Structures are given as structure tokens and as C-alpha cells.
């Protein structure tokens, strides 16, 4: 049993920080110590920002993104191509695609993937709202950008079946060799996907 090195308030801070993805117990202790040492410069502004986020962050009822308004900034941006929707598993995936600035279109966050073993079925995801949105919005293309896992591929096939009959193009992200990747370091699944998705030079 580990000894407490600080009062219960600091121990609680450490325990809460340890719940943040990417922070284990040791990293949480280092982060807590840094926050305490930089109380005025970091801890107080962070506490204020977290209080504001707690009170103002909403989930967009259109796409599932998180923002301080509903509909979100992306959905209300008139400069975006609203004929294309990229379907992602999670908000983190949406943010990653936005950082890449590869396309200027709309998104739809599923909230996970189908996983019967974990008890996650179609009704637990934002699939029905996607079908309703595509039917009403005049969408021309759906880009399915889910992870290349068994659950991701199962979800992609299910979405494709649900959109069957609608006059839209359904595409998915290419899978294969990453830019700068060396073949010798890639796994067999990645190499197989790369060969199947080969293109003409």
C-alpha cells in the first residue's frame, strides 16, 4: 500500500489527472506538481477554462461534434461543401481530419462502432440520424472514415447496407502503406490492404 505524500485535496487532483488518457499515476503526479508550482500561471486559468467548458460545451444535434453551440461551427460554416459527409467513429477522428485540412466538407460522428460482444448495436450509434440526414440534405457522397478494425469494417458494411437505394456515392479511406513508410516494417494486413488498393501510376 503506497503512502500519501500530500493532503487529500492534492491526492484527489492526482487521482483525477490519472484518469485522463495518456496519463498514468506517475505522469499524473508530475502534472499535478507542475500545476501546483505554477498555480497563478497555469492552475488558475486551467480551472477557469474547465469551469467554462463544463457549462458551455454541447454535442451538436446534427453531426455529433462537440462545440459551444448547436449546431456546431462546422455545420454552420457556409463555405463548406455540404454535398459531402465524412463519417467518423469519434470526435477525435473528426479533429484529426480537420487538422489535415484535406477536405472542406461536413462530418457525422457515429459515437463508436458496432460490437456485439460489447453489447453495442445499431441503436447505440448515430446511424439512424445519418440515414435521415443523407435522405434530407441532398448529399452526393459519403466517405466512411472508420478504423481498419473488424468492428470498423463491420460498421462500414452496415452503413452501406442502410444507405442502399439512395442516389449517393459511398467511398472509404484508402488503407495501405503510409507516406514515408518502409515495407519491411509493415504488418501483413497493411501490405495486403495496400496491394488490394493499388492505383495506376
Amino acid at each position: 500500500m503506497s503512502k500519501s505524500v500530500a493532503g487529500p485535496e492534492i491526492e484527489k487532483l492526482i487521482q483525477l489527472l490519472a484518469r485522463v488518457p495518456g496519463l498514468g499515476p506517475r505522469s499524473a503526479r508530475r502534472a499535478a506538481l507542475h500545476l501546483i508550482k505554477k498555480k497563478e500561471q497555469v492552475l488558475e486559468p486551467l480551472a477557469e477554462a474547465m469551469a467554462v467548458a463544463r457549462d458551455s460545451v454541447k454535442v451538436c444535434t446534427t453531426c455529433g461534434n462537440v462545440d459551444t453551440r448547436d449546431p456546431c461551427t462546422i455545420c454552420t460554416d457556409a463555405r463548406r461543401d455540404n454535398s459531402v459527409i465524412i463519417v467518423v467513429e469519434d470526435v477525435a477522428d473528426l479533429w484529426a481530419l480537420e487538422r489535415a485540412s484535406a477536405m472542406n466538407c461536413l462530418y457525422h460522428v457515429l459515437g463508436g462502432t458496432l460490437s456485439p460482444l460489447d453489447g453495442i448495436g445499431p441503436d447505440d450509434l448515430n446511424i439512424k440520424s445519418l440515414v435521415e440526414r443523407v435522405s434530407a440534405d441532398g448529399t452526393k457522397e459519403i466517405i466512411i472514415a472508420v478504423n481498419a478494425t473488424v468492428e470498423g469494417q463491420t460498421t462500414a458494411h452496415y452503413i452501406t447496407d442502410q444507405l442502399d437505394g439512395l442516389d449517393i456515392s459511398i467511398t472509404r479511406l484508402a488503407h495501405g502503406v503510409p507516406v514515408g513508410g518502409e515495407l519491411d516494417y509493415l504488418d501483413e494486413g497493411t501490405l495486403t490492404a495496400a496491394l488490394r488498393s493499388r492505383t495506376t501510376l
Side-chain angles (χ1 to χ4, degrees):
M1 186 172 172
S2 61
K3 294 180 182 177
S4 292
V5 294
E9 297 83 3
I10 295 175
E11 287 296 330
K12 184 175 182 182
L13 174 62
I14 293 167
Q15 289 170 7
L16 291 171
L17 286 171
R19 294 184 191 177
V20 177
L23 288 181
R26 284 185 179 181
S27 298
R29 286 192 180 282
R30 283 195 295 272
L33 188 57
H34 177 74
L35 290 171
I36 292 164
K37 284 181 177 178
K38 303 282 185 177
K39 186 177 177 182
E40 291 180 5
Q41 300 98 323
V42 182
L43 183 58
E44 289 176 6
L46 177 63
E48 289 173 17
M50 292 177 79
V52 170
R54 179 196 63 206
D55 296 334
S56 60
V57 169
K58 303 172 176 67
V59 175
C60 178
T61 53
T62 303
C63 74
N65 186 23
V66 291
D67 202 338
T68 53
R69 57 180 166 167
D70 181 20
C72 71
T73 304
I74 292 175
C75 288
T76 55
D77 187 350
R79 297 167 298 177
R80 290 183 178 265
D81 181 0
N82 61 7
S83 69
V84 180
I85 297 176
I86 300 180
V87 179
V88 295
E89 291 180 23
D90 191 71
V91 174
D93 302 325
L94 185 159
W95 289 2
L97 288 166
E98 275 295 285
R99 280 196 309 273
S101 300
M103 294 191 74
N104 192 34
C105 58
L106 301 178
Y107 295 89
H108 193 87
V109 180
L110 295 173
T113 54
L114 294 172
S115 180
L117 291 175
D118 296 321
I120 302 173
D123 294 337
D124 300 309
L125 304 177
N126 295 328
I127 296 175
K128 185 179 178 185
S129 60
L130 172 65
V131 176
E132 291 170 356
R133 187 176 173 196
V134 170
S135 302
D137 280 354
T139 305
K140 294 179 182 174
E141 182 182 5
I142 292 290
I143 302 171
I144 300 178
V146 295
N147 292 325
T149 60
V150 172
E151 294 83 4
Q153 297 312 305
T154 301
T155 305
H157 288 302
Y158 182 83
I159 291 170
T160 303
D161 289 343
Q162 295 301 300
L163 297 174
D164 188 38
L166 297 176
D167 187 22
I168 57 168
S169 170
I170 301 174
T171 58
R172 70 172 195 172
L173 293 183
H175 299 138
V177 180
V179 175
E182 296 182 31
L183 297 182
D184 189 37
Y185 293 102
L186 299 177
D187 62 273
E188 291 80 6
T190 301
L191 288 171
T192 301
L195 287 169
R196 288 179 181 164
S197 303
R198 63 191 184 277
T199 57
T200 304
L201 289 174

